[in-house]
């Protein structure tokens, strides 16, 4: 009888241990950046490749996508200012406080010699980041350089 009790105890212990041996919950990776490839191409200054990558995966509702498209169009060997401006404006329609789009649109205006419009973008960035941010500082430098 003792051996039956011992066997039962071992059996219960084994099944309890088996419950502890279940596999851990599945850990899902963070969502991948859908704009990672164009960002890498932009970082490498491969404007043609970045433009192709962006056009291959249009994202009409993404302010980031429109901002990167505008930036890429502006940086082409032959800048496409009108199309770049339209992309920046669409990014700002989606997200009016988008720092990158405000900075890059301001830089586009500096390139076109329209410092009044560039200063309008700077005013938006001053409100968006009153303590300062990279985008605000970069646009300030671009305006200061053009005003000399």
């Amino acid at each position: 009888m003792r051996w039956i009790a011992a066997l039962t105890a071992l059996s219960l212990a084994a099944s309890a241990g088996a419950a502890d041996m279940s596999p851990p919950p599945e850990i899902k990776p963070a969502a991948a950046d859908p704009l990672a490839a164009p960002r890498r191409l932009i970082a490498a200054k491969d404007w043609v490749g970045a433009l192709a990558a962006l056009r291959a995966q249009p994202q009409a509702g993404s302010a980031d996508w429109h901002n990167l498209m505008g930036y890429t169009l502006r940086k082409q060997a032959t800048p496409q200012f009108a199309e770049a401006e339209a992309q920046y404006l669409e990014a700002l329609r989606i997200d009016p406080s988008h720092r990158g789009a405000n900075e890059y649109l301001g830089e586009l205006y500096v390139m076109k010699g329209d410092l009044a419009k560039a200063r309008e973008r700077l005013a938006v960035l001053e409100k968006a980041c009153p303590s300062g941010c990279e985008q605000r500082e970069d646009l300030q430098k671009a305006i200061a350089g053009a005003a000399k």
Side-chain angles (χ1 to χ4, degrees):
M1 222 30 170
R2 274 186 148 159
W3 65 275
I4 293 177
L7 210 56
T8 303
L10 281 174
S11 176
L12 288 173
S15 66
D20 293 340
M21 300 295 285
S22 62
E26 182 180 350
I27 298 172
K28 297 185 181 192
D33 178 6
L35 298 172
R39 288 183 206 279
R40 280 192 298 277
L41 293 164
I42 288 168
K45 298 184 181 187
D46 179 355
W47 310 120
V48 174
L51 191 58
L54 287 163
R55 286 186 171 149
Q57 54 179 342
Q59 298 175 21
S62 168
D64 288 339
W65 184 89
H66 286 284
N67 180 52
L68 293 176
M69 179 61 89
Y71 184 80
T72 301
L73 290 164
R74 182 169 61 97
K75 293 292 190 170
Q76 296 293 305
T78 303
Q80 299 172 28
F81 290 137
E83 196 175 339
E85 182 177 11
Q87 293 294 333
Y88 292 138
L89 291 172
E90 181 60 15
L92 293 173
R93 186 193 66 73
I94 295 166
D95 179 2
S97 62
H98 193 284
R99 292 178 183 182
N102 277 293
E103 174 196 352
Y104 295 152
L105 181 57
E107 290 175 356
L108 181 143
Y109 290 143
V110 168
M111 293 172 78
K112 291 173 62 176
D114 192 341
L115 295 185
K117 283 189 176 180
R119 287 187 184 101
E120 288 175 10
R121 296 295 98 210
L122 181 58
V124 172
L125 287 170
E126 287 169 344
K127 286 180 185 175
C129 44
S131 298
C133 60
E134 181 182 353
Q135 295 84 359
R136 175 180 163 181
E137 293 164 10
D138 289 349
L139 183 53
Q140 283 174 322
K141 289 176 188 172
I143 291 171
K148 290 182 180 179

